[in-house]
Amino acid sequence: IVLDLDDTSSEDLLSELGRDQRFQALPVVGLSWQSRPERVEYLLRGGMEAFVAKPVHGEVLRGELRHICGMTPPGRGEEWD
């Protein structure tokens, strides 16, 4: 799930996903203008797999999605050799 955290209901949705066992293993990537380290850390502890600051750069989001899918190690945009 790619979740826009600037939507007022998104943090409620993140909490609901974390409480429902059917969705606990579902990775969530959060997008937001609010990228203070303490907020990002709070959200990651709350069940988000990754965070991407807005404005979103396509290569950054693709890199996070590839990492979550097991295609790259953290911080790299290209596929593993």
Side-chain angles (χ1 to χ4, degrees):
I1 296 176
V2 177
L3 185 61
D4 184 345
L5 297 169
D6 294 325
D7 181 318
T8 56
S9 62
S10 61
E11 287 190 40
D12 292 336
L13 175 59
L14 187 60
S15 294
E16 286 182 43
L17 291 171
R19 286 192 301 266
D20 191 324
Q21 286 187 335
R22 296 173 298 170
F23 303 114
Q24 287 179 351
L26 190 63
V28 177
V29 177
L31 311 175
S32 180
W33 289 103
Q34 302 174 41
S35 58
R36 292 183 325 274
E38 58 274 2
R39 181 168 190 261
V40 174
E41 199 172 306
Y42 167 79
L43 292 166
L44 291 171
R45 281 194 313 260
M48 255 184 5
E49 184 77 21
F51 177 86
V52 177
K54 292 180 179 178
V56 175
H57 297 280
E59 64 276 4
V60 174
L61 180 57
R62 278 190 300 276
E64 291 295 343
L65 294 173
R66 285 180 172 178
H67 171 65
I68 288 169
C69 293
M71 297 171 66
T72 62
R76 292 185 53 193
E78 66 274 2
E79 293 184 30
W80 287 356
D81 292 326

